[in-house]
Amino acid sequence: MQVGENGSQDSDVRDAGIAGAGRLSRDLVIAADFGTSGVKLAALDRSLALKAVAMRAYPLSLPASGQAEQAPADWWKALAEGIADLRGLIPDLAERAAALVFCAQMCGVVASDASGTPLRPAIVWLDKRAGTMSRQMNGGFPSLAGYRLDKLLAWTRIANGAPSHNGMDPPAKMLWLKQFEPDVFAGAHKLLDVKDWLLNRATGRFVTTADSANLTWMMDTRKGREGWSAYLAGRLGIPLDKLPEIVDGTETVGGLLADAATELGLEPGLPVIAGAGDVAATAIGSGAMANGELHAYAGTSAWLSGFFPSRRIDIFHSFATISSSVGYRPLLIATQESAGTAFAWAARLTGEAEGDADSALARAYEGIGPARADDPLFVPWLAGERVPVDDDRLRGVFYGLGMQHDRSALLRSVLEGVALNMRWALSKVSKQKGVLQDAPLPLVGGAAVNPLFAQGLADALKRRVEVRAPRHAGVRGAAAIAGTGLGWFDSVEAAAPALAAGPAETYDPQHEGMALSDARSAMLERHRSRLIALYR
């Protein structure tokens, strides 16, 4: 899929050439956001306006229960095809490109040899094969919140958090490789996140950024001590030399290699900026960059996130700040597993064979109407949960089904269930010191285009929700990072006005909707603890 801004190439896309140079000025950044199902690409100008966008899909393999893998070559192929799409909209893209920057899904593990060749398919964030191993890795006596006390104290003191119990964080995946695929682990020159492998493929360097490094729980995040922790890595049994160098997200990792440039149709030597993981890039792209200002993301998964002046942690509800990719600025992340995946699942369940497609989702949810008091309750734990309860064993539930419930009632319940699940998370996050309680909440991600969900979220959270370029927050945030590295902005924070510019759909909480959300949330509150106990 490819579209130009407003469906065509703008008349102001072209700038005057540099006098005597015979070529156009370097006025565009190419940003690529690698998600679970595909890559979104954009060419953005110095004001971070989208001049052309494209999307290319790639497969997700589910080889066994709890397992999720992808072929890194598919990411690169989709990148090349997407850049070709952009070039079809902006024919002189290669000559005008000032930099290439990536953001990507996080918590993946790519075992790469010294040449950067993957030794096996990438184990991506959705993979939970190491859940039992993670609980064993974390646990022991005496314990607190499922963690052996001495391990918990070390992790929280040094890294400001600890690996999740559900096996999704990288250290459990690395230890799974070490135990079950020892030849792969031994042969791995570096263990990389998704973005890190792409940077290596583009430049030949093995690097990561602080956000990905932090989520290995082998990084020291204390102010002035940021970097890999030999102590934490040693406790896990992961050799430090298998971990890539940590660089700032605004750093130019290197110039685009000649073979990579040929494959992508770009110029050799094009600066490749380190970028960020998807959460940090999206946080920037949402425009909510003041301390304590939150944004909400609802795509495949969901999260509430915001920047803070210092580290924050809530062990009992499984969220904390991590070091973001730019300047180690603390970024709070409260992640939930299912949002858009639940919407697509319900669409397929009710007859839309292509439930993941935008057109199918639009058809499925059209005309279903707002939530009703007698609709069944839905708990969206289709792939377990992380916040405020971290357990991969939890599963989704429809509660209160009756003969009167039809297709529309089920679909309404799924939208409402995701919104109320996010309310559950916000009830814990909002207790953190410094959270701006009444600020409008930017909503980004593919699910944000559903007006029923956006209004339901505003009612559930009792806050104004603003939707502005929701599908492109990742590429806009990545472009802001690249623009700062190129000197277009004095800092990433200085790009906030540009990111918050432009029209927005606003959803103010409605009295009737808030009252219904209060009543339905109270009902869920009475049942959640029993459901959690059931699956444990």
Side-chain angles (χ1 to χ4, degrees):
M1 180 184 72
Q2 54 179 351
V3 295
E5 186 180 29
N6 298 322
S8 62
Q9 187 173 339
D10 284 355
S11 60
D12 64 347
V13 165
R14 296 176 177 275
D15 294 336
I18 299 174
R23 56 192 290 170
L24 297 176
S25 62
R26 301 283 180 171
D27 65 332
L28 298 175
V29 162
I30 301 172
D33 177 3
F34 290 82
T36 309
S37 58
V39 58
K40 300 182 187 74
L41 302 100
L44 303 96
D45 67 12
R46 290 172 181 257
S47 67
L48 302 182
L50 297 160
K51 293 303 175 182
V53 300
M55 180 181 291
R56 285 284 176 161
Y58 39 70
L60 172 69
S61 173
L62 304 172
S65 177
Q67 298 187 8
E69 299 180 346
Q70 288 180 320
D74 289 338
W75 304 330
W76 190 258
K77 180 175 180 287
L79 175 66
E81 292 171 346
I83 290 176
D85 292 341
L86 295 181
R87 211 165 42 244
L89 297 163
I90 305 176
D92 52 2
L93 178 67
E95 293 78 15
R96 295 179 62 190
L100 175 65
V101 63
F102 304 130
C103 68
Q105 54 175 297
M106 301 173 71
C107 293
V109 175
V110 185
S112 296
D113 67 15
S115 70
T117 301
L119 300 177
R120 69 174 320 281
I123 303 175
V124 299
W125 70 274
L126 195 57
D127 191 287
K128 297 175 183 172
R129 72 184 71 186
T132 299
M133 182 174 290
S134 187
R135 287 187 286 274
Q136 293 171 345
M137 174 184 76
N138 296 340
F141 180 82
S143 69
L144 178 66
Y147 297 90
R148 197 175 80 192
L149 195 56
D150 63 322
K151 296 178 182 179
L152 181 63
L153 292 174
W155 266 320
T156 55
R157 178 174 58 87
I158 299 171
N160 196 52
S164 68
H165 294 314
N166 63 16
M168 294 178 69
D169 286 352
K173 294 170 178 172
M174 294 175 184
L175 292 178
W176 186 92
L177 286 174
K178 188 176 183 180
Q179 179 172 338
F180 294 103
E181 297 183 6
D183 291 345
V184 170
F185 186 85
H189 176 65
K190 296 295 179 185
L191 300 169
L192 306 173
D193 205 344
V194 175
K195 169 182 55 60
D196 309 341
W197 182 85
L198 291 160
L199 289 170
N200 176 262
R201 182 67 184 82
T203 69
R205 284 185 67 190
F206 290 103
V207 300
T208 190
T209 50
D211 47 352
S212 288
N214 197 162
L215 290 178
T216 69
W217 307 110
M218 291 180 276
M219 178 184 166
D220 192 331
T221 68
R222 291 174 292 181
K223 190 173 181 61
R225 304 186 188 187
E226 294 91 348
W228 292 118
S229 167
Y231 174 73
L232 293 180
R235 290 192 67 152
L236 287 169
I238 305 296
L240 271 183
D241 62 5
K242 289 189 181 291
L243 304 177
E245 176 189 0
I246 302 171
V247 300
D248 193 80
T250 61
E251 181 175 319
T252 298
V253 176
L256 192 62
L257 296 173
D259 62 338
T262 299
E263 291 167 355
L264 299 181
L266 299 173
E267 294 188 351
L270 176 71
V272 180
I273 309 295
D278 56 357
V279 179
T282 299
I284 293 167
S286 75
M289 281 190 275
N291 284 330
E293 188 176 10
L294 301 178
H295 78 275
Y297 169 85
T300 301
S301 58
W303 65 65
L304 295 166
S305 178
F307 291 101
F308 284 80
S310 58
R311 301 193 312 180
R312 301 283 193 275
I313 189 168
D314 185 335
I315 288 294
F316 296 102
H317 298 112
S318 306
F319 66 84
T321 55
I322 65 167
S323 292
S324 66
S325 74
V326 179
Y328 303 115
R329 188 181 180 194
L331 175 65
L332 184 145
I333 309 170
T335 302
Q336 296 183 318
E337 297 298 358
S338 298
T341 49
F343 299 167
W345 168 80
R348 291 192 300 271
L349 188 70
T350 56
E352 288 291 347
E354 300 294 329
D356 294 287
D358 289 349
S359 58
L361 286 170
R363 286 193 304 270
Y365 290 93
E366 184 178 12
I368 64 171
R372 300 178 184 177
D374 66 343
D375 284 342
L377 292 168
F378 177 68
V379 179
W381 301 334
L382 300 178
E385 195 49 280
R386 297 196 74 172
V387 171
V389 172
D390 178 15
D391 199 324
D392 62 300
R393 296 167 293 185
L394 302 183
R395 287 297 176 265
V397 174
F398 279 110
Y399 181 85
L401 282 170
M403 293 291 291
Q404 77 276 19
H405 292 131
D406 58 10
R407 170 183 175 278
S408 292
L410 296 183
L411 292 170
R412 288 193 300 268
S413 294
V414 170
L415 296 183
E416 179 198 52
V418 172
L420 292 180
N421 210 48
M422 295 178 74
R423 171 179 170 140
W424 187 34
L426 182 63
S427 70
K428 313 304 180 185
V429 171
S430 62
K431 295 177 182 177
Q432 289 295 308
K433 180 180 178 182
V435 171
L436 301 182
Q437 303 288 349
D438 301 320
L441 189 74
L443 173 63
V444 296
V449 303
N450 187 315
L452 288 173
F453 173 70
Q455 183 61 58
L457 188 65
D459 293 339
L461 303 187
K462 300 183 180 181
R463 295 175 70 158
R464 167 177 279 192
V465 167
E466 296 180 344
V467 178
R468 182 182 288 106
R471 294 187 182 279
H472 302 115
V475 292
R476 297 189 80 203
I481 294 171
T484 302
L486 293 169
W488 294 359
F489 304 102
D490 291 336
S491 66
V492 169
E493 291 76 15
L499 293 164
E505 295 288 338
T506 60
Y507 300 86
D508 288 309
Q510 303 298 310
H511 177 75
E512 184 177 345
M514 287 190 291
L516 181 59
S517 287
D518 284 348
R520 306 271 287 171
S521 181
M523 291 174 64
L524 273 175
E525 194 66 28
R526 291 196 295 270
H527 298 302
R528 280 198 190 100
S529 60
R530 289 195 289 270
L531 290 172
I532 292 168
L534 173 67
Y535 286 109
R536 287 177 173 172

